[in-house]
Amino acid sequence: MASARGLGAGRGGAFLRVALGLARWAALPGSPPVGLRPPVTSRVAQWEAEGRPTCLVARAMAQDRAATRLSVVLGHVRRPFSGAVRAHPTSGAISPGSFHPQQFQYTRDNHVLSPEQRMFYEENGFLVIKNLVSDADIKRFRNEFERICRNEVKPERIMIMRDVTIGKSEYVPSENMVSKVQDFQEDEELFSYCTLPEILKYVECFTGPNIMAMHTMLINKPPDSGKKTSRHPMHQDLHYFCFRPSNSIVCAWTAMEHIDQNNGCLTVLPGTHKGTLKPHDYPQWEGGVNIMYHGIQDYDEAAAQVHVVMEKGDTVFFHPLLIHGSGVNKTKGFRKAISCHFADAHCHYIDVKGTSQENIGKEIVELADKLHGIKGITLKDIWRFRARLVKGQRINL
């Protein structure tokens, strides 16, 4: 699978593809540039008075909507230096009167997100909130992670993972040997991330007031060994989840340090959350693939991609159908991020047998048996065990 390409990879690269894709409506004959035109309402009235054809009026209205969306995307994504893209909270110039609540299907109306932020998430499937988690909290999470790596604490049922290039004989308890810990719901210090009021304030915008923490991870992306195993294939998180509906699930992913393309930032394909769940499996990578790093088999590698550059404490919220991954860590340091997938407590479990998720479902159950000696457990049992109520009432999950 080809590695991700940056949105800012040259003037003819993906950045222009995004811009041209969003502003796909051609200029009307004889019309001035979009930025110099009068508001669409005044133009429509003028053209109707002049007796212009209805099709031209419709094109004008569609063009203004496309231009508005483009301004929002460009307001959310900034390019501070060549070859990189930095994500910011949306700041596009959309009037609240230009859209209506019935247009929103991915966000809830709780007056936390601005209309511009809601529209950005609706269109793109992700949203970055700057400086959301404090340095003090991140330091706590880092210290606890290091204690876990040194075997000073051993939370029940936590999964400690190492890069595929590190053999069993080489493993010694240290931060340098651990690429990820997940299922830390039994670790009070790490799990406090999932209950931070500042996190839940935004999570509620996507799940509603009854919130379950479903899946927890602290990722310690290692310096790449040269085999490119530190990258993560492009995937959709919903592939791993046997609960629905997808629009009531969101991931909160917080940078624990500066993250950019050099140390393997997230790469997202904007707007792909509007699609369906695609088949996943292990990519055929020559250097090897880490356990459970499934990837999409048939996504469009030419699609425009955004590299989400983040500072410590920045948090990106994204939809479980959003196609995303991360590149190799080309630095000598470890890149850390902490995350949790949250779901509306009204969500329900599904049976994945006979679906594209059957392969990962079997793998998760087999791994639970191998690591914890749990016989006869089902995929739903595993998710019920992981799930924790963090706000409101526990209903279905």
Side-chain angles (χ1 to χ4, degrees):
M1 184 176 295
S3 59
R5 291 184 296 277
L7 193 65
R11 294 184 180 273
F15 181 79
L16 288 180
R17 288 199 297 273
V18 170
L20 293 173
L22 296 177
R24 59 189 180 279
W25 296 96
L28 292 172
S31 298
V34 172
L36 301 180
R37 295 175 187 165
V40 64
T41 51
S42 63
R43 282 193 289 134
V44 169
Q46 175 187 342
W47 290 356
E48 286 179 337
E50 294 172 358
R52 294 205 187 189
T54 304
C55 63
L56 290 185
V57 176
R59 284 184 66 188
M61 296 178 70
Q63 183 178 2
D64 275 75
R65 288 195 296 270
T68 298
R69 182 186 174 196
L70 176 58
S71 71
V72 175
V73 173
L74 296 181
H76 188 77
V77 179
R78 295 287 188 264
R79 178 163 36 178
F81 54 93
S82 178
V85 171
R86 185 179 301 269
H88 291 280
T90 54
S91 56
I94 291 184
S95 168
S98 65
F99 49 87
H100 306 283
Q102 58 264 31
Q103 293 179 261
F104 299 125
Q105 58 177 311
Y106 304 106
T107 57
R108 309 291 180 99
D109 187 14
N110 64 357
H111 307 293
V112 172
L113 298 179
S114 70
E116 293 84 2
Q117 288 173 320
R118 290 188 72 182
M119 182 61 78
F120 187 91
Y121 186 91
E122 293 281 332
E123 292 296 320
N124 297 284
F126 73 100
L127 180 72
V128 175
I129 304 298
K130 300 292 290 180
N131 198 30
L132 185 61
V133 178
S134 70
D135 288 353
D137 283 327
I138 289 175
K139 184 177 180 180
R140 287 195 300 111
F141 305 146
R142 181 184 291 270
N143 290 342
E144 183 69 359
F145 171 72
E146 292 173 356
R147 292 179 67 214
I148 292 171
C149 293
R150 294 192 298 264
N151 284 339
E152 293 177 10
V153 291
K154 298 180 180 180
E156 185 181 1
R157 306 299 186 194
I158 196 168
M159 182 183 295
I160 299 175
M161 305 173 72
R162 66 178 185 274
D163 191 83
V164 68
T165 58
I166 300 175
K168 289 183 179 180
S169 60
E170 304 174 68
Y171 182 81
V172 293
S174 75
E175 176 187 358
N176 294 342
M177 293 292 175
V178 177
S179 59
K180 181 193 294 185
V181 296
Q182 66 179 37
D183 300 336
F184 55 67
Q185 63 273 359
E186 298 296 336
D187 186 279
E188 183 177 349
E189 193 80 328
L190 288 184
F191 192 74
S192 67
Y193 168 77
C194 307
T195 62
L196 289 175
E198 55 268 40
I199 290 288
L200 295 181
K201 170 185 174 182
Y202 285 95
V203 169
E204 190 171 342
C205 300
F206 310 100
T207 65
N210 300 299
I211 306 174
M212 301 292 295
M214 300 299 295
H215 186 234
T216 54
M217 293 190 298
L218 194 154
I219 305 134
N220 188 44
K221 184 187 279 285
D224 197 78
S225 64
K227 296 184 178 181
K228 299 182 179 180
T229 56
S230 66
R231 58 183 163 162
H232 199 300
M234 301 299 281
H235 65 283
Q236 296 164 299
D237 289 340
L238 193 67
H239 171 66
Y240 297 90
F241 304 155
C242 66
F243 45 93
R244 299 291 189 275
S246 61
N247 290 352
S248 295
I249 305 169
V250 71
C251 179
W253 196 99
T254 299
M256 296 177 66
E257 56 201 296
H258 173 80
I259 297 178
D260 58 25
Q261 286 178 258
N262 288 322
N263 58 5
C265 64
L266 285 179
T267 301
V268 302
L269 273 59
T272 50
H273 66 301
K274 299 178 182 179
T276 58
L277 180 61
K278 296 179 177 293
H280 290 59
D281 210 333
Y282 283 107
Q284 301 302 308
W285 287 348
E286 185 178 344
V289 186
N290 284 303
I291 185 173
M292 286 200 273
Y293 275 33
H294 288 200
I296 295 174
Q297 303 299 293
D298 63 349
Y299 83 95
D300 181 8
E301 296 186 21
Q305 301 179 359
V306 173
H307 294 287
V308 185
V309 177
M310 303 169 70
E311 300 301 330
K312 182 167 67 171
D314 293 355
T315 302
V316 59
F317 296 89
F318 59 91
H319 192 280
L321 281 172
L322 181 73
I323 297 176
H324 66 287
S326 63
V328 299
N329 182 357
K330 295 176 283 188
T331 70
K332 295 181 180 180
F334 288 76
R335 187 272 276 160
K336 291 181 176 60
I338 187 169
S339 73
C340 179
H341 283 88
F342 298 90
D344 180 358
H346 288 90
C347 287
H348 59 274
Y349 291 105
I350 64 167
D351 186 355
V352 301
K353 186 176 181 180
T355 73
S356 65
Q357 294 179 258
E358 187 171 6
N359 59 348
I360 189 63
K362 288 181 178 179
E363 188 172 347
I364 292 172
V365 170
E366 290 170 358
L367 191 61
D369 184 11
K370 179 181 178 180
L371 294 179
H372 308 301
I374 305 175
K375 300 291 185 180
I377 196 170
T378 68
L379 185 61
K380 294 178 186 178
D381 291 334
I382 292 172
W383 280 107
R384 287 191 183 102
F385 175 81
R386 287 172 168 170
R388 295 290 185 277
L389 179 70
V390 290
K391 187 174 183 181
Q393 295 181 327
R394 186 165 191 168
I395 301 167
N396 291 331
L397 295 178

